[in-house]
Amino acid sequence: MTVQFMAPNTKDDAQQIECVNNAVSAGAKAIIVAANGPDAISSALKEAQSSGVKIVYVDSPANVDAEATFSTDNKAAGKTAGEEMLKALSAAGVTSGSIGVINVNAATDSCVMREEGFRSAFEGKGFTLLETQYGEGDAAKSQSIAENYITQGVVGIFGCNEGSTTGAGNAIKASGKDGIIGVGFDKSDAILGLIDDGYLLCTMAQNPDVMGYEGVKAAVAAVGGESLGGKVTDTGVSVLTAQGGTASAASEGSTAKASKEYRIALITMDSIDQHWVTLNEGAQKEAETLGVSVTFMSPNTKDDAQQIECVNNAVAGGYEAIIVAANGPDAISSALKEAQSSGVKIVYVDSPANVDAEATFSTDNKAAGKTAGEEMLKALEAAGVTSGSIGIINVNAATDSCVMREEGLRSAFEGKGFTLLETQYGEGDAAKSQSIAENYITQGVAGIFGCNEGSTTGAGNAIKASGKDGIIGVGFDKSDANLGLIDDGYLLCTMAQNPDVMGAKGVEACVKALEGDSLGGAVSDTGVSVLKK
């Protein structure tokens, strides 16, 4: 598949519509689009869809259903921008004054959400946010707007996109005035230069490369017949500030470095599965970036008593925050409540317990489980199999993430003519799971689903050892063993989570909480991909 970049030279609805029409006329199988606004391009996209063209959104969607959307959570990122400005104003002793806001237009959803988030950060803070001015994303127009704001004596200016931010920074530079806090969006050489020279405080850097990469993957999957369910995936944002003479990435919503070297404990279900090892790698990398320390102190096996002991050891050891993937929702709860009563911040990764925490970073496991079921169904139908039994291997009945995956898988088979057998539990152990799968195979199953890495490896090994063709194995988690079983044809696919992202985001959240930020217990989906041969 080839990708042709055919965007207009300027933000113009008519030109963007023309690009869509030209793509359809040229026989494009899919269109990846960042819509100028939610409505103007809609008719053209609907016509494209009626011609069989798959639509995937990046950055900014229109009001037409699409295969998938990859964008920034712009409202949350805008609020982060506001919080960064507030911190700088507070540090300068400024507790009131006017703030100017430069947006692109009133229709571009991504920028409207950024402004909405930014304004929410200032609620009840004693500042006056002036009426928004629109510069159409043009740096020169935005500079003129910013210069007018400066004559009104503003203490800060917010730019909602690259051109707005560049214009704001250039106006602050030209004014020669100190103390005006400029905060904006997007990463460019011009913006980074203005940050390094002190005319802008920071910018919210999205990940457009991730949007493009994931957009192409989604387009290929959709053209290939996969159902993506219209899922919206947050591709993240980082705060770029000046540090040591160069603009550098910081954690979303935090400063480039923590104010002190906080000690964070990372407690996962075990320390052996590659999933947890990768999660730890992501955490360690982010810890180095933020100047904190993370100790991986997980048990060797999935055991409630051992995980509780790890939590108690972290508290006794004076750790200020704990990142935890709970074995189940209840067993560890008392230990976590005691930790919180000692002032320890709790952040969940992968699987939460029934105790409120600062934040949770996990996969939307029910949706991902349904995707796994749909993949199995497609393979069975392609093989002409329309009925039969399906075996399910789970970890245990308490691990929320795996329970949700199973629930999602079962929902995919509703009304499809297959019998889903009673779930068997292998505790995530590959050898135990293989024995369970071998028993399923003796019952003549048409497919086997593994709910985590060990379950999936066991299922694949059992299918391999059986020597039987036609048993569809589908599972969860990325490991060398699972990928090898896929390449050799013993597993159809695995749902690959992003444990490194969970680890990195977990550390970011701990630092934010320890620095006094309120995260509101937000639950963030860290995404999943289908890995096939």
Side-chain angles (χ1 to χ4, degrees):
M1 181 174 285
T2 60
V3 176
Q4 183 178 354
F5 186 51
M6 50 197 306
N9 292 326
T10 187
K11 290 182 176 68
D12 181 271
D13 291 335
Q15 288 189 43
Q16 193 170 51
I17 290 167
E18 184 180 1
C19 288
V20 172
N21 294 337
N22 289 343
V24 177
S25 298
K29 300 293 185 184
I31 297 174
I32 302 169
V33 61
N36 283 350
D39 297 313
I41 199 175
S42 294
S43 293
L45 292 176
K46 287 178 181 176
E47 288 181 19
Q49 287 178 324
S50 70
S51 300
V53 178
K54 304 295 185 181
I55 306 299
V56 173
Y57 293 125
V58 289
D59 188 76
S60 186
N63 284 331
V64 175
D65 290 340
E67 305 298 323
T69 301
F70 300 94
S71 61
T72 305
D73 183 340
N74 286 290
K75 188 173 181 179
K79 186 175 183 181
T80 296
E83 291 168 344
E84 290 295 322
M85 184 181 285
L86 278 168
K87 282 192 286 186
L89 290 168
S90 177
V94 180
T95 57
S96 64
S98 298
I99 309 292
V101 178
I102 309 173
N103 210 325
V104 176
N105 52 46
T108 302
D109 183 73
S110 57
C111 295
V112 170
M113 288 296 100
R114 294 170 193 173
E115 179 186 335
E116 189 173 320
F118 179 82
R119 288 181 176 275
S120 73
F122 279 86
E123 290 175 2
K125 299 296 184 182
F127 292 86
T128 301
L129 273 72
L130 301 177
E131 183 179 354
T132 304
Q133 300 296 311
Y134 299 103
E136 296 300 325
D138 182 83
K141 290 181 182 178
S142 298
Q143 182 171 345
S144 296
I145 292 168
E147 288 170 348
N148 184 51
Y149 277 141
I150 290 170
T151 64
Q152 297 177 56
V154 295
V155 295
I157 303 174
F158 173 57
C160 289
N161 81 328
E162 181 182 333
S164 309
T165 304
T166 303
N170 285 336
I172 293 169
K173 179 178 180 179
S175 74
K177 294 183 178 180
D178 295 328
I180 302 171
I181 306 299
V183 170
F185 255 83
D186 295 330
K187 177 182 178 182
S188 70
D189 291 341
I191 290 173
L192 296 182
L194 288 163
I195 291 172
D196 287 340
D197 293 339
Y199 301 112
L200 290 174
L201 171 68
C202 61
T203 189
M204 307 298 109
Q206 301 179 85
N207 294 306
D209 53 336
V210 177
M211 294 179 195
Y213 176 76
E214 294 294 342
V216 171
K217 281 175 60 181
V220 171
V223 169
E226 292 186 30
S227 174
L228 307 181
K231 185 176 179 181
V232 178
T233 300
D234 179 18
T235 50
V237 69
S238 297
V239 180
L240 301 188
T241 61
Q243 185 185 20
T246 60
S248 60
S251 309
E252 181 178 349
S254 71
T255 54
K257 292 280 187 180
S259 62
K260 59 177 284 190
E261 189 177 347
Y262 297 111
R263 297 172 66 231
I264 301 168
L266 172 59
I267 303 171
T268 57
M269 295 183 192
D270 64 49
S271 56
I272 299 171
D273 276 8
Q274 193 165 329
H275 180 77
W276 306 123
V277 172
T278 303
L279 193 150
N280 179 46
E281 289 170 354
Q284 296 298 339
K285 184 176 180 181
E286 190 63 23
E288 183 177 354
T289 299
L290 298 181
V292 298
S293 66
V294 172
T295 302
F296 189 40
M297 51 195 304
S298 304
N300 291 326
T301 186
K302 290 179 177 68
D303 181 90
D304 291 337
Q306 288 188 43
Q307 193 171 53
I308 291 167
E309 184 180 1
C310 289
V311 172
N312 293 338
N313 288 343
V315 176
Y319 286 86
E320 292 141 305
I322 297 173
I323 302 169
V324 62
N327 282 351
D330 298 312
I332 199 175
S333 294
S334 295
L336 291 177
K337 286 178 181 177
E338 288 182 17
Q340 287 178 325
S341 68
S342 300
V344 178
K345 304 295 184 181
I346 305 297
V347 170
Y348 295 124
V349 287
D350 188 82
S351 187
N354 283 332
V355 175
D356 290 341
E358 305 297 324
T360 301
F361 301 94
S362 61
T363 304
D364 183 339
N365 285 290
K366 187 173 181 179
K370 186 175 182 181
T371 297
E374 291 167 345
E375 290 294 325
M376 185 182 286
L377 276 168
K378 282 192 292 185
L380 290 166
E381 289 168 4
V385 181
T386 57
S387 64
S389 299
I390 308 297
I392 298 176
I393 310 172
N394 210 324
V395 176
N396 53 47
T399 301
D400 182 71
S401 57
C402 295
V403 170
M404 288 296 101
R405 293 168 193 174
E406 179 186 336
E407 189 173 319
L409 179 104
R410 287 182 177 274
S411 72
F413 278 86
E414 289 175 2
K416 299 296 184 181
F418 291 86
T419 301
L420 275 72
L421 301 178
E422 185 178 351
T423 305
Q424 301 296 313
Y425 300 103
E427 297 299 327
D429 181 84
K432 290 180 182 177
S433 299
Q434 182 171 344
S435 295
I436 292 169
E438 288 169 347
N439 185 51
Y440 277 140
I441 291 170
T442 64
Q443 297 177 56
V445 294
I448 302 175
F449 173 58
C451 290
N452 81 327
E453 182 184 330
S455 308
T456 305
T457 303
N461 285 336
I463 293 169
K464 179 179 181 179
S466 74
K468 294 183 178 180
D469 294 328
I471 302 172
I472 306 300
V474 170
F476 256 83
D477 295 333
K478 177 183 176 182
S479 69
D480 292 340
N482 287 345
L483 295 181
L485 287 162
I486 290 171
D487 287 339
D488 293 338
Y490 302 113
L491 290 174
L492 171 67
C493 61
T494 189
M495 307 299 108
Q497 301 179 86
N498 294 303
D500 54 334
V501 176
M502 295 179 195
K505 293 292 185 182
V507 173
E508 289 176 1
C510 284
V511 171
K512 287 180 69 175
L514 291 166
E515 295 280 308
D517 289 348
S518 174
L519 307 183
V523 178
S524 300
D525 177 20
T526 50
V528 70
S529 299
V530 179
L531 299 188
K532 295 183 175 180
K533 187 173 182 179

